[in-house]
Amino acid sequence: MKLVVVSAGLSVPSSTRLLGDRLAAAVDRHTPVDIQVIELRDLAVEIAHNFTNGFPGRALAAALDAVTEADGLIVVTPVFTASYSGLFKSFFDVLDKDALAGKPVLIAATGGTARHSLVLEHALRPLFAYLRAVVVPTAVYAASEDWGAEGLPERTERAAGELAALMQGLSAARPAKDDLPAEDDLAVVPFEEQLARLGA
């Protein structure tokens, strides 16, 4: 299975990227996955050009394809002005509106203070619900004081376990093309006949 991490961190090194890496490693402990990381910082110019000319550049197109084809996503943003960053939102604005439908997504964010932790519930969760993604129940926020403190590893493991379970469940539920019934095998059975069969 393929897991894609979308990181909107701007600094190098980035605590946002670090959180994304930790979450991905935790998912991999629950179920083996191929991990690909997309650094939005490297795509900023192409994202801006996409808005003005309507076409993604080569790197942006590859990133959009990776997200669309992923079995699961981890999305991580720094908190800017009590919400996700503009770069983070811009990436999902240029993504096809149906690309995340039914896709398992783990939302996460980083910030300088724990007071911004509700950004996960009032900004990120509604965004991905609008995109019709399946957002895992546990979201992960890491403030500066959380690194190395109690609580963050436990939340990371719980969220990763939820994402891994969703990825496994949805990929198992998705029938292979060969398993789908042929059109000739599909027949409409009148309701009365169905009732008669039940009574037999």
Side-chain angles (χ1 to χ4, degrees):
M1 286 186 294
K2 184 178 178 184
L3 174 66
V4 172
V5 180
V6 178
S7 170
L10 297 179
S11 57
V12 181
S14 161
S15 61
T16 302
R17 169 66 188 268
L18 177 60
L19 181 58
D21 288 344
R22 285 195 181 183
L23 289 165
V27 172
D28 192 49
R29 285 194 292 273
H30 287 273
T31 185
V33 287
D34 294 323
I35 300 168
Q36 178 179 350
V37 178
I38 296 172
E39 289 272 15
L40 297 186
R41 177 186 65 242
D42 301 332
L43 300 173
V45 173
E46 288 194 24
I47 291 171
H49 286 168
N50 193 106
F51 278 114
T52 56
N53 64 25
F55 298 99
R58 184 176 300 170
L60 177 57
L64 296 172
D65 287 345
V67 167
T68 301
E69 294 164 7
D71 296 297
L73 287 182
I74 295 172
V75 297
V76 197
T77 179
V79 176
F80 285 170
T81 322
S83 188
Y84 39 66
S85 73
L87 179 60
F88 181 85
K89 178 64 163 58
S90 295
F91 177 77
F92 290 101
D93 282 344
V94 300
L95 185 68
D96 183 89
K97 63 181 178 60
D98 297 320
L100 298 187
K103 196 179 298 293
V105 176
L106 191 168
I107 56 174
T110 57
T113 171
R115 290 193 297 272
H116 289 305
S117 62
L118 283 176
V119 70
L120 294 165
E121 303 304 327
H122 77 71
L124 271 79
R125 197 175 293 277
L127 170 64
F128 289 96
Y130 173 79
L131 294 171
R132 294 177 290 136
V134 181
V135 183
V136 303
T138 302
V140 180
Y141 180 83
S144 299
E145 63 267 24
D146 288 329
W147 297 101
E150 289 183 17
L152 183 59
E154 291 78 9
R155 292 196 309 275
T156 297
E157 285 298 328
R158 185 168 65 244
E162 292 168 356
L163 180 61
L166 269 177
M167 289 173 67
Q168 289 172 311
L170 290 177
S171 65
R174 192 180 308 134
K177 286 184 180 177
D178 296 340
D179 296 336
L180 293 173
E183 214 170 297
D184 297 340
D185 297 337
L186 300 174
V188 176
V189 179
F191 183 67
E192 294 82 7
E193 187 177 329
Q194 292 179 40
L195 280 178
R197 289 179 185 174
L198 288 173

